[in-house]
Amino acid sequence: MQTPVNQTLVPVLTIDGPSGSGKGTISRIVAQRLGWHYLDSGALYRAVGIAASWADLDLSDASALVRCTFDTEIGFRDDASGEPRVIVNGQDATDELRTETAGGAASAIAAIPEVRAALKDRQRAFRQAPGLVADGRDMGTVIFPDAGHKVFLTASADERAERRHKQLKNKGVSVTFDGLLREILARDARDANRAVAPLRPAEDAFRIDTTGLGIEDVVAQVLDVMSHPAG
């Protein structure tokens, strides 16, 4: 299904990058500052992964995962404090979505071409006025290649592991830095080397290395990118 003509007129900012690069936090803040909609594309893949685990599906069974993708109902809402919640098949799965297990499942199913195709239209449907900030791994290369502004965030593997370690420890999740670093490096390799939509910057993306930078510093750089003419 082609994107409706009126949707192509809606501006899009894509923010891609590897796990732990800060793209989720930065994307949400930038969307709030711009007054635009926000798409967390990774949450869609994680949601399908969780639905598959609830159904006790084998992650190597591509046909079963494709059926699961079509059958899974995914919704987004803010709680009383304004924090985003993800609803999977009627259940709040937000906390489970944030685990490294869910991230690993998402990375595995994202390598299946039919799953990516099944989620493509769902992602493009988020393109609504006045604009969209889309966060993911292939937003600027595959889902919204016509986006007027594209950013690719990165950071050293050690820093990304440290960020995840702090985030998960604050949520009461028992993890080790070394374990997280191994998982991040393994996921980087899977995402960069998969045959379909590998993780890479769009040719016209503005690259920002967030190593050692604070959140506001990165937000300022992204908003500065938005100040330049689209295209």
Side-chain angles (χ1 to χ4, degrees):
M1 184 177 71
Q2 293 184 334
T3 303
V5 174
N6 65 328
Q7 276 192 310
T8 65
L9 301 177
V10 176
V12 176
L13 163 65
T14 62
I15 301 182
D16 289 315
S19 178
S21 59
K23 61 185 184 296
T25 299
I26 301 303
S27 296
R28 284 194 296 273
I29 293 174
V30 170
Q32 291 170 354
R33 300 275 175 90
L34 295 173
W36 286 10
H37 299 287
Y38 167 58
L39 165 61
D40 176 359
S41 66
L44 298 179
Y45 286 96
R46 287 171 180 253
V48 173
I50 285 175
S53 70
W54 289 348
D56 201 26
L57 299 181
D58 185 342
L59 291 181
S60 65
D61 187 340
S63 60
L65 291 173
V66 172
R67 289 195 299 273
C68 180
T69 302
F70 280 108
D71 293 341
T72 301
E73 296 181 2
I74 308 169
F76 297 88
R77 63 173 175 80
D78 290 342
D79 63 18
S81 65
E83 286 296 308
R85 311 298 296 180
V86 183
I87 312 302
V88 180
N89 292 334
Q91 300 184 52
D92 188 330
T94 308
D95 293 337
E96 191 171 347
L97 250 71
R98 292 170 176 160
T99 65
E100 291 305 304
T101 299
S107 181
I109 67 173
I112 301 172
E114 294 85 357
V115 170
R116 301 195 73 86
L119 288 177
K120 187 176 291 185
D121 287 338
R122 284 203 196 189
Q123 293 172 86
R124 288 178 173 168
F126 279 80
R127 190 174 192 170
Q128 300 289 336
L132 173 68
V133 177
D135 143 29
R137 286 171 169 73
D138 65 347
M139 296 296 97
T141 55
V142 176
I143 305 302
F144 301 108
D146 64 332
H149 295 93
K150 301 176 184 179
V151 170
F152 189 88
L153 299 183
T154 188
S156 69
D158 281 351
E159 176 140 343
R160 288 187 284 130
E162 183 60 41
R163 290 172 182 172
R164 287 293 290 161
H165 185 256
K166 181 178 180 180
Q167 181 185 48
L168 293 173
K169 292 288 283 186
N170 287 341
K171 295 182 182 300
V173 180
S174 180
V175 291
T176 65
F177 172 83
D178 289 342
L180 285 173
L181 180 59
R182 285 194 298 272
E183 289 176 357
I184 281 176
L185 291 173
R187 183 167 187 184
D188 284 353
R190 285 197 304 271
D191 290 348
N193 295 311
R194 66 189 179 212
V196 180
L199 172 64
R200 60 178 175 81
E203 291 184 2
D204 51 347
F206 185 86
R207 305 185 191 195
I208 301 175
D209 186 340
T210 67
T211 304
L213 296 180
I215 291 173
E216 282 301 323
D217 292 327
V218 181
V219 169
Q221 288 196 43
V222 174
L223 290 174
D224 182 63
V225 171
M226 294 295 294
S227 70
H228 299 122

